[in-house]
Amino acid sequence: QDTSGDYVMTQAGMPPGGNDVVQAHAGDDHATGSRSARQAAPGAMPQIQPRDAASLVDVAIVYPASLVAELGDGPMRAQFALGITQTNQAFAASGIPTQVRLVGTRQLAQPQLASTQSSLYALQNPSDGQYDEVAGFREEVHADLVSMWHSNYPGSISCGIGYIGSGDAK
């Protein structure tokens, strides 16, 4: 089973109007096939396309319990939807024929790690005992990209870091 993939870290808890970054990657599995049974989260996209195209990127979002405590469940989910919407608007305004679609969200079983970098390393290794459930969740919802949102790190100035295709397929 290929568990390599694309992961993006996004720090949440910004003031209203802050910039959320979603980094997109169109995977090879979009060339053919149908995923019409899969549904995006309410409000994430205006319409689900019956067939995936190379220009459609499926995004799953994972988050620690501390993010729910910081933002509240409803406002947190609104930020997720806003990030998807703003990404699609930016692509459209730039003439990029790509859209992202939110295909699932999940609270992590493990608490947030001490830094975005340590979390990213943990995401990259699906058998190190940290965030190991993410690879299975990505497979379950057929996401091309996983975005992990964290609650605010004191003094942190990064908005996100990520890997595209680690090459460590096992």
Side-chain angles (χ1 to χ4, degrees):
Q1 176 181 351
D2 181 4
T3 56
S4 68
D6 304 338
Y7 299 94
V8 174
M9 298 287 302
T10 303
Q11 182 171 323
M14 294 182 210
N19 295 323
D20 295 318
V21 176
V22 176
Q23 190 170 359
H25 165 72
D28 295 337
D29 64 334
H30 285 288
T32 60
S34 173
R35 296 188 194 158
S36 59
R38 229 180 25 227
Q39 297 296 315
M45 291 289 297
Q47 191 171 8
I48 302 296
Q49 298 178 8
R51 288 181 49 108
D52 283 351
S55 60
L56 183 62
V57 179
D58 291 336
V59 178
I61 296 176
V62 296
Y63 56 92
S66 59
L67 184 62
V68 181
E70 182 179 328
L71 300 178
D73 189 66
M76 176 191 70
R77 292 183 186 284
Q79 285 294 308
F80 295 165
L82 179 63
I84 296 294
T85 299
Q86 287 177 335
T87 300
N88 286 327
Q89 289 171 343
F91 286 166
S94 299
I96 299 169
T98 299
Q99 287 189 326
V100 295
R101 168 175 64 180
L102 183 61
V103 294
T105 65
R106 180 161 298 166
Q107 182 174 316
L108 296 163
Q110 181 176 346
Q112 179 170 304
L113 297 178
S115 72
T116 54
Q117 186 174 18
S118 60
S119 294
L120 189 60
Y121 291 148
L123 282 173
Q124 187 182 22
N125 186 349
S127 60
D128 65 353
Q130 299 176 322
Y131 303 142
D132 292 350
E133 76 269 23
V134 175
F137 175 57
R138 177 179 183 252
E139 192 67 27
E140 176 186 322
V141 297
H142 305 281
D144 300 303
L145 180 137
V146 173
S147 177
M148 176 184 273
W149 290 50
H150 277 177
S151 57
N152 198 14
Y153 284 115
S156 179
I157 58 171
S158 67
C159 66
I161 56 176
Y163 286 128
I164 299 294
S166 67
D168 292 331
K170 299 201 188 293

